[in-house]
Short mmCIF file of all heavy atoms in Angstrom, two decimals:
data_model
loop_
_atom_site.label_atom_id
_atom_site.label_comp_id
_atom_site.label_asym_id
_atom_site.label_seq_id
_atom_site.Cartn_x
_atom_site.Cartn_y
_atom_site.Cartn_z
N ARG A 38 67.03 63.05 34.29
CA ARG A 38 67.73 61.98 33.55
C ARG A 38 69.20 62.39 33.36
O ARG A 38 69.57 63.56 33.33
CB ARG A 38 67.06 61.81 32.18
CG ARG A 38 67.20 62.92 31.19
CD ARG A 38 66.41 62.62 29.92
NE ARG A 38 66.49 63.67 28.92
CZ ARG A 38 65.83 63.70 27.78
NH1 ARG A 38 64.93 62.75 27.48
NH2 ARG A 38 65.95 64.73 26.97
N GLN A 39 70.01 61.35 33.16
CA GLN A 39 71.45 61.55 32.96
C GLN A 39 71.91 60.59 31.91
O GLN A 39 71.81 59.36 32.08
CB GLN A 39 72.23 61.34 34.24
CG GLN A 39 73.71 61.68 34.11
CD GLN A 39 74.41 61.71 35.42
OE1 GLN A 39 73.92 61.16 36.41
NE2 GLN A 39 75.50 62.41 35.51
N ALA A 40 72.39 61.13 30.74
CA ALA A 40 72.92 60.34 29.71
C ALA A 40 74.43 60.17 29.95
O ALA A 40 75.06 60.94 30.62
CB ALA A 40 72.64 61.02 28.36
N PRO A 41 75.03 59.14 29.35
CA PRO A 41 76.43 58.93 29.48
C PRO A 41 77.27 60.17 29.06
O PRO A 41 77.01 60.68 28.01
CB PRO A 41 76.73 57.72 28.61
CG PRO A 41 75.44 56.97 28.50
CD PRO A 41 74.39 58.06 28.56
N GLY A 42 78.18 60.59 29.90
CA GLY A 42 78.99 61.77 29.65
C GLY A 42 78.32 63.08 29.80
O GLY A 42 78.91 64.12 29.49
N LYS A 43 77.04 63.09 30.26
CA LYS A 43 76.27 64.31 30.40
C LYS A 43 75.95 64.53 31.84
O LYS A 43 75.96 63.65 32.67
CB LYS A 43 74.96 64.27 29.56
CG LYS A 43 75.20 64.02 28.08
CD LYS A 43 75.74 65.32 27.43
CE LYS A 43 75.78 65.19 25.91
NZ LYS A 43 74.38 65.04 25.32
N GLU A 44 75.67 65.77 32.19
CA GLU A 44 75.22 66.10 33.53
C GLU A 44 73.74 65.79 33.66
O GLU A 44 72.96 65.75 32.74
CB GLU A 44 75.44 67.60 33.82
CG GLU A 44 76.89 68.02 33.90
CD GLU A 44 77.08 69.45 34.34
OE1 GLU A 44 76.07 70.19 34.47
OE2 GLU A 44 78.20 69.85 34.57
N ARG A 45 73.37 65.55 34.93
CA ARG A 45 71.95 65.28 35.19
C ARG A 45 71.09 66.49 34.93
O ARG A 45 71.45 67.62 35.27
CB ARG A 45 71.78 64.81 36.65
CG ARG A 45 70.41 64.30 37.00
CD ARG A 45 70.34 63.75 38.42
NE ARG A 45 71.29 62.61 38.57
CZ ARG A 45 71.42 61.91 39.67
NH1 ARG A 45 70.67 62.21 40.76
NH2 ARG A 45 72.25 60.90 39.70
N GLU A 46 69.96 66.26 34.26
CA GLU A 46 69.08 67.40 33.96
C GLU A 46 67.67 67.06 34.40
O GLU A 46 67.26 65.92 34.39
CB GLU A 46 69.09 67.72 32.43
CG GLU A 46 68.61 66.58 31.59
CD GLU A 46 68.64 66.87 30.09
OE1 GLU A 46 69.16 67.91 29.72
OE2 GLU A 46 68.09 66.07 29.27
N ILE A 47 66.88 68.15 34.69
CA ILE A 47 65.50 67.90 35.07
C ILE A 47 64.71 67.79 33.79
O ILE A 47 64.89 68.53 32.87
CB ILE A 47 64.98 69.06 35.98
CG1 ILE A 47 63.59 68.74 36.49
CG2 ILE A 47 64.98 70.35 35.25
CD1 ILE A 47 63.13 69.64 37.63
N VAL A 48 63.76 66.83 33.79
CA VAL A 48 62.92 66.58 32.67
C VAL A 48 61.56 67.16 32.93
O VAL A 48 60.96 67.86 32.07
CB VAL A 48 62.78 65.08 32.39
CG1 VAL A 48 61.83 64.81 31.26
CG2 VAL A 48 64.15 64.49 32.09
N ALA A 49 60.98 66.90 34.14
CA ALA A 49 59.63 67.36 34.43
C ALA A 49 59.46 67.42 35.96
O ALA A 49 60.19 66.81 36.70
CB ALA A 49 58.58 66.40 33.80
N SER A 50 58.48 68.24 36.39
CA SER A 50 58.09 68.31 37.77
C SER A 50 56.60 68.38 37.87
O SER A 50 55.91 68.79 36.96
CB SER A 50 58.74 69.46 38.49
OG SER A 50 58.23 70.66 38.02
N ILE A 51 56.09 68.06 39.04
CA ILE A 51 54.70 68.15 39.35
C ILE A 51 54.49 68.61 40.78
O ILE A 51 55.13 68.13 41.71
CB ILE A 51 53.94 66.84 39.07
CG1 ILE A 51 52.46 66.93 39.23
CG2 ILE A 51 54.50 65.68 39.96
CD1 ILE A 51 51.67 65.82 38.60
N THR A 52 53.65 69.60 40.96
CA THR A 52 53.45 70.21 42.28
C THR A 52 52.62 69.33 43.21
O THR A 52 52.07 68.29 42.76
CB THR A 52 52.79 71.61 42.14
OG1 THR A 52 51.43 71.46 41.73
CG2 THR A 52 53.54 72.47 41.17
N THR A 53 52.47 69.77 44.44
CA THR A 53 51.64 69.04 45.40
C THR A 53 50.19 69.00 44.99
O THR A 53 49.48 68.04 45.37
CB THR A 53 51.73 69.70 46.80
OG1 THR A 53 51.35 71.08 46.71
CG2 THR A 53 53.21 69.60 47.27
N SER A 54 49.73 69.95 44.22
CA SER A 54 48.38 70.01 43.74
C SER A 54 48.12 69.46 42.37
O SER A 54 47.00 69.51 41.85
CB SER A 54 47.82 71.47 43.83
OG SER A 54 48.58 72.31 43.02
N GLY A 55 49.17 68.96 41.70
CA GLY A 55 49.07 68.36 40.44
C GLY A 55 49.44 69.16 39.21
O GLY A 55 49.34 68.67 38.13
N GLY A 56 49.87 70.42 39.44
CA GLY A 56 50.31 71.20 38.30
C GLY A 56 51.69 70.72 37.78
O GLY A 56 52.60 70.43 38.57
N SER A 57 51.77 70.50 36.50
CA SER A 57 52.93 69.88 35.91
C SER A 57 53.65 70.83 34.95
O SER A 57 53.09 71.78 34.41
CB SER A 57 52.57 68.60 35.17
OG SER A 57 51.70 68.88 34.11
N ARG A 58 54.97 70.56 34.74
CA ARG A 58 55.76 71.33 33.83
C ARG A 58 56.79 70.44 33.24
O ARG A 58 57.48 69.62 33.94
CB ARG A 58 56.41 72.52 34.55
CG ARG A 58 57.38 73.29 33.64
CD ARG A 58 57.97 74.48 34.41
NE ARG A 58 58.86 75.25 33.55
CZ ARG A 58 59.53 76.33 33.94
NH1 ARG A 58 59.43 76.79 35.21
NH2 ARG A 58 60.37 76.96 33.12
N ILE A 59 57.03 70.50 31.93
CA ILE A 59 58.09 69.81 31.21
C ILE A 59 59.20 70.84 31.01
O ILE A 59 58.97 71.88 30.34
CB ILE A 59 57.61 69.22 29.89
CG1 ILE A 59 56.45 68.33 30.08
CG2 ILE A 59 58.77 68.49 29.20
CD1 ILE A 59 56.69 67.12 30.98
N PHE A 60 60.35 70.59 31.52
CA PHE A 60 61.48 71.51 31.48
C PHE A 60 62.31 71.27 30.16
O PHE A 60 62.82 72.23 29.61
CB PHE A 60 62.40 71.35 32.66
CG PHE A 60 61.77 71.94 33.98
CD1 PHE A 60 61.00 71.13 34.72
CD2 PHE A 60 62.00 73.22 34.34
CE1 PHE A 60 60.41 71.62 35.89
CE2 PHE A 60 61.45 73.74 35.46
CZ PHE A 60 60.66 72.95 36.26
N GLU A 61 62.47 70.03 29.83
CA GLU A 61 63.31 69.70 28.62
C GLU A 61 62.48 69.97 27.39
O GLU A 61 61.48 69.30 27.11
CB GLU A 61 63.72 68.21 28.74
CG GLU A 61 64.59 67.75 27.57
CD GLU A 61 65.83 68.61 27.35
OE1 GLU A 61 66.53 68.81 28.34
OE2 GLU A 61 66.01 69.01 26.25
N ASP A 62 63.00 70.90 26.56
CA ASP A 62 62.29 71.29 25.39
C ASP A 62 62.03 70.10 24.42
O ASP A 62 60.98 70.03 23.81
CB ASP A 62 63.01 72.37 24.64
CG ASP A 62 62.91 73.72 25.34
OD1 ASP A 62 61.98 73.92 26.15
OD2 ASP A 62 63.73 74.64 25.06
N SER A 63 63.00 69.20 24.28
CA SER A 63 62.86 68.12 23.38
C SER A 63 61.79 67.13 23.84
O SER A 63 61.30 66.32 22.99
CB SER A 63 64.22 67.42 23.25
OG SER A 63 64.58 66.77 24.48
N ALA A 64 61.41 67.19 25.07
CA ALA A 64 60.40 66.26 25.61
C ALA A 64 59.00 66.85 25.58
O ALA A 64 58.00 66.12 25.73
CB ALA A 64 60.75 65.87 27.04
N LYS A 65 58.83 68.12 25.33
CA LYS A 65 57.54 68.76 25.31
C LYS A 65 56.72 68.18 24.20
O LYS A 65 57.17 68.05 23.05
CB LYS A 65 57.71 70.25 25.16
CG LYS A 65 58.28 70.95 26.38
CD LYS A 65 58.46 72.44 26.14
CE LYS A 65 59.02 73.11 27.38
NZ LYS A 65 59.28 74.50 27.21
N GLY A 66 55.47 67.84 24.48
CA GLY A 66 54.60 67.19 23.50
C GLY A 66 54.74 65.72 23.44
O GLY A 66 53.91 65.03 22.81
N ARG A 67 55.75 65.15 24.10
CA ARG A 67 55.98 63.70 24.09
C ARG A 67 55.91 63.10 25.42
O ARG A 67 55.43 61.93 25.59
CB ARG A 67 57.33 63.35 23.44
CG ARG A 67 57.54 63.84 22.03
CD ARG A 67 58.84 63.33 21.44
NE ARG A 67 60.01 63.84 22.14
CZ ARG A 67 60.89 62.99 22.72
NH1 ARG A 67 60.76 61.71 22.74
NH2 ARG A 67 61.96 63.54 23.35
N PHE A 68 56.33 63.86 26.44
CA PHE A 68 56.36 63.31 27.85
C PHE A 68 55.26 63.91 28.67
O PHE A 68 54.93 65.14 28.53
CB PHE A 68 57.69 63.59 28.48
CG PHE A 68 58.86 62.80 27.95
CD1 PHE A 68 58.75 62.08 26.84
CD2 PHE A 68 60.11 62.86 28.63
CE1 PHE A 68 59.84 61.34 26.35
CE2 PHE A 68 61.16 62.17 28.16
CZ PHE A 68 61.08 61.41 26.97
N THR A 69 54.73 63.18 29.63
CA THR A 69 53.74 63.67 30.55
C THR A 69 54.02 63.13 31.98
O THR A 69 54.24 61.96 32.16
CB THR A 69 52.30 63.20 30.16
OG1 THR A 69 52.03 63.66 28.83
CG2 THR A 69 51.30 63.78 31.14
N ILE A 70 54.07 64.07 32.93
CA ILE A 70 54.25 63.67 34.36
C ILE A 70 52.91 63.68 35.00
O ILE A 70 52.10 64.60 34.78
CB ILE A 70 55.33 64.51 35.02
CG1 ILE A 70 55.59 64.01 36.44
CG2 ILE A 70 54.87 66.04 35.05
CD1 ILE A 70 56.75 64.74 37.14
N SER A 71 52.64 62.76 35.91
CA SER A 71 51.43 62.71 36.68
C SER A 71 51.71 62.09 38.02
O SER A 71 52.73 61.54 38.27
CB SER A 71 50.32 61.92 35.89
OG SER A 71 50.74 60.62 35.67
#
Side-chain angles (χ1 to χ4, degrees):
R38 68 184 181 187
Q39 186 169 23
K43 301 286 186 65
E44 294 186 353
R45 188 174 299 183
E46 63 180 8
I47 188 168
V48 178
S50 68
I51 186 164
T52 68
T53 57
S54 58
S57 64
R58 178 178 179 181
I59 306 297
F60 290 87
E61 178 57 49
D62 286 342
S63 67
K65 292 178 179 177
R67 300 188 298 120
F68 290 10
T69 303
I70 187 172
S71 61

